[in-house]
């Protein structure tokens, strides 16, 4: 199974979409995710950048943080809904279907149309997460696969062919202009809603980041926990690697900024970005960046300057992107997905500022 760039996505191979809607699944993907001939599987729509669909099974989905999908869609859970008929749910759509004895899916024309798939397409099988793998139909990752300098299997699975005969080894044409110079990106992530556009945008560039949670500036604890847990659930749902460096740093943060509360944001940026740069350097990441760059409410240039200084100190490159044009788009998608949306920046002082008018009214009311 090839890995197209260090720290990037693993691919299992390609699968051909046949005229009758038959799609043969790669053997290694089926083995890794515990799929068996004749069993029932769940399909759900892929990301906007990759398209296609993802595949999982009940024992993987039900106990996961996404198990609420089955609780909220009993027809999907109990297989009483029409097979291969997609049910919309929080920004994606889900269905169930049966695998054939030859480890093939057979999607009806309605499902192919819903997924924007046509006969002759070659889907790329990608390891997405511990829950599901993706059969991607478009986007930078598929373009990268065309230039992959190595062998990857193509699963044809045409009627009448045995499993062995249905799998040909192919060597794609190598286009060196498509080689990514970025080896691995660690993306400091302040919260799930802010990560939505950043991750989508990076994936559209063909960059697969690893998300890094380190936010000791967020208080009180229940707020910290809500943001952390929402990011954990969202990362899992989109197949995003997440590294959680858990540190509820209320006391240390307050001590550090108590002398100049009005200028606390500089410390807030630096402490988080420094830990990100340090971790990136220590764990083999070539670049780091941050979702703080998406917010029009933050000191954008202050963040950039702090990150560039830390990049020089720790010897790891800082990837600058101005994500701000996509802020509204990302927030709208986060609401559509039902993600927890915080009401203030993070620290207790920003919470006070958020409710300053209400505090003043209450003070006047009770004085």
């Amino acid at each position: 199974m090839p890995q197209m760039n260090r720290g990037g996505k693993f691919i299992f191979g390609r699968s051909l979409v046949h005229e009758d809607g038959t799609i043969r699944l790669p053997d290694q993907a089926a083995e890794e995710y515990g799929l068996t001939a004749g069993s029932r599987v769940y399909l759900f729509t892929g990301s906007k950048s990759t398209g296609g669909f993802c595949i999982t099974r009940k024992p993987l989905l039900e106990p996961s943080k996404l198990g609420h999908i089955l609780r909220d869609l009993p027809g999907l859970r109990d297989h009483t809904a029409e097979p291969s008929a997609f049910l919309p749910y929080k920004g994606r759509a889900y269905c169930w279907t049966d695998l054939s004895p030859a480890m093939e899916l057979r999607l009806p024309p309605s499902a192919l149309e819903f997924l924007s798939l046509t006969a002759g397409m070659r889907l790329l099988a990608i390891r997405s997460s511990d829950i599901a793998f993706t059969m991607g139909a478009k986007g930078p990752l598929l373009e990268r696969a065309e230039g992959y300098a190595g062998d990857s299997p193509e699963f044809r699975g045409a009627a009448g062919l045995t499993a062995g005969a249905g799998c040909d080894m192919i060597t794609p044409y190598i286009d060196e202009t498509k080689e990514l110079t970025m080896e691995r990106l660690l993306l400091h992530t302040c919260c799930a809603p802010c990560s939505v556009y950043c991750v989508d945008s990076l994936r559209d560039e063909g960059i697969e980041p690893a998300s890094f949670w380190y936010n000791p500036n967020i208080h009180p604890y229940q707020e910290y926990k809500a943001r952390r847990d929402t990011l954990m659930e969202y990362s899992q749902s989109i197949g995003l690697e997440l590294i959680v460096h858990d540190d509820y740093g209320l006391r240390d943060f307050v001590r550090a900024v108590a002398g100049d509360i009005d200028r606390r944001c500089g410390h807030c940026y630096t402490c988080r970005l420094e830990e990100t740069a340090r971790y990136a350097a220590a764990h083999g990441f070539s670049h780091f960046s941050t979702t703080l760059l998406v917010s029009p409410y933050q000191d954008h240039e202050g963040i950039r300057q702090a990150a560039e200084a830390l990049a020089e100190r720790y010897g790891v490159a800082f990837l600058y992107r101005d994500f701000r044009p996509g802020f509204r788009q990302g927030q709208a998608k986060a609401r559509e997905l039902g993600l927890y949306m915080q009401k203030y920046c993070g620290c207790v002082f920003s919470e006070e500022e958020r409710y300053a008018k209400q505090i003043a009214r209450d003070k006047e009311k009770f004085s």
Side-chain angles (χ1 to χ4, degrees), residues 32 60 77 80 98 135-136 140 146 168 176 179 288 344 353:
E32 184 170 317
L60 293 177
R77 179 193 62 211
T80 54
D98 291 316
M135 302 295 288
E146 291 301 320
D168 295 337
E176 293 184 356
E179 288 298 314
F288 75 98
Y344 59 96
E353 291 173 352

Side-chain angles (χ1 to χ4, degrees), residues 49-335:
S49 61
T50 307
F53 57 90
C54 305
I55 306 175
T56 187
R57 58 192 182 93
K58 192 173 185 178
L60 293 177
L61 184 60
E62 196 166 41
S64 75
K65 289 182 177 294
L66 301 180
H68 60 84
I69 296 169
L70 297 180
R71 293 192 294 272
D72 293 345
L73 298 175
L76 182 71
R77 179 193 62 211
D78 302 330
H79 308 110
T80 54
E82 182 181 351
S84 301
F86 283 90
L87 306 172
Y89 180 79
K90 291 189 176 181
R92 294 208 180 189
Y94 301 79
C95 77
W96 68 272
T97 190
D98 291 316
L99 283 178
S100 75
M103 295 301 293
E104 295 173 340
L105 297 172
R106 189 164 187 172
L107 300 180
S110 58
L112 292 174
E113 181 179 2
F114 184 84
L115 295 169
S116 300
L117 302 180
T118 56
M121 292 180 72
R122 295 157 70 232
L123 306 180
L124 188 69
I126 309 160
R127 178 195 283 160
S128 304
S129 69
D130 293 338
I131 297 175
F133 65 96
T134 298
M135 302 295 288
K138 61 179 181 179
L141 199 56
L142 273 77
E143 295 172 6
R144 284 273 301 139
E146 291 301 320
Y148 171 65
D151 293 334
S152 62
E154 180 167 296
F155 294 84
R156 302 176 186 273
L161 293 178
T162 65
C167 173
D168 295 337
M169 295 301 294
I170 61 174
T171 303
Y173 171 73
I174 301 172
D175 181 357
E176 293 184 356
T177 64
K178 291 183 179 179
E179 288 298 314
L180 285 178
T181 57
M182 177 162 312
E183 294 179 341
R184 206 171 180 208
L185 171 68
L186 186 66
L187 180 67
H188 165 260
T189 305
C190 58
C191 63
C194 285
S195 76
V196 171
Y197 178 79
C198 299
V199 172
D200 286 351
S201 177
L202 290 167
R203 284 178 166 177
D204 284 344
E205 292 185 51
I207 299 170
E208 181 60 29
S211 181
F212 184 65
W213 168 267
Y214 178 72
N215 297 289
N217 62 302
I218 299 174
H219 322 121
Y221 178 71
Q222 289 302 319
E223 180 72 20
Y224 175 91
K225 182 176 183 297
R227 298 192 199 186
R228 181 198 63 196
D229 293 355
T230 299
L231 178 61
M232 291 172 64
E233 182 175 337
Y234 179 62
S235 297
Q236 193 171 37
S237 73
I238 62 171
L240 177 68
E241 179 184 356
L242 173 62
I243 300 161
V244 176
H245 184 1
D246 207 45
D247 180 12
Y248 178 63
L250 173 62
R251 291 174 182 269
D252 288 341
F253 181 85
V254 172
R255 288 192 191 101
V257 303
D260 194 352
I261 292 174
D262 290 338
R263 297 184 181 180
R264 67 188 180 277
C265 295
H267 169 77
C268 187
Y269 300 147
T270 300
C271 75
R272 290 186 283 173
L273 291 173
E274 181 166 14
E275 185 61 20
T276 305
R278 186 201 64 77
Y279 189 96
H283 292 83
F285 288 87
S286 61
H287 294 69
F288 75 98
S289 192
T290 176
T291 60
L292 293 169
L293 294 169
V294 79
S295 174
Y297 305 110
Q298 302 290 348
D299 179 2
H300 194 85
E301 285 307 310
I303 294 167
R304 181 176 184 174
Q305 291 170 13
E308 288 174 346
L310 291 165
E312 185 174 351
R313 182 186 306 173
Y314 286 93
V316 58
F318 169 61
L319 177 71
Y320 171 72
R321 290 291 185 273
D322 187 352
F323 294 120
R324 289 175 294 182
F327 177 74
R328 301 298 175 193
Q329 177 185 332
Q331 295 291 294
K333 182 176 176 181
R335 290 189 181 90

Side-chain angles (χ1 to χ4, degrees), residues 341-361:
M341 309 289 289
Q342 59 266 24
K343 300 297 189 295
Y344 59 96
C345 184
C347 72
V348 291
F349 306 110
S350 66
E351 182 194 32
E352 180 189 44
E353 291 173 352
R354 167 67 174 78
Y355 296 106
K357 291 182 179 179
Q358 182 64 53
I359 292 170
R361 287 195 295 267

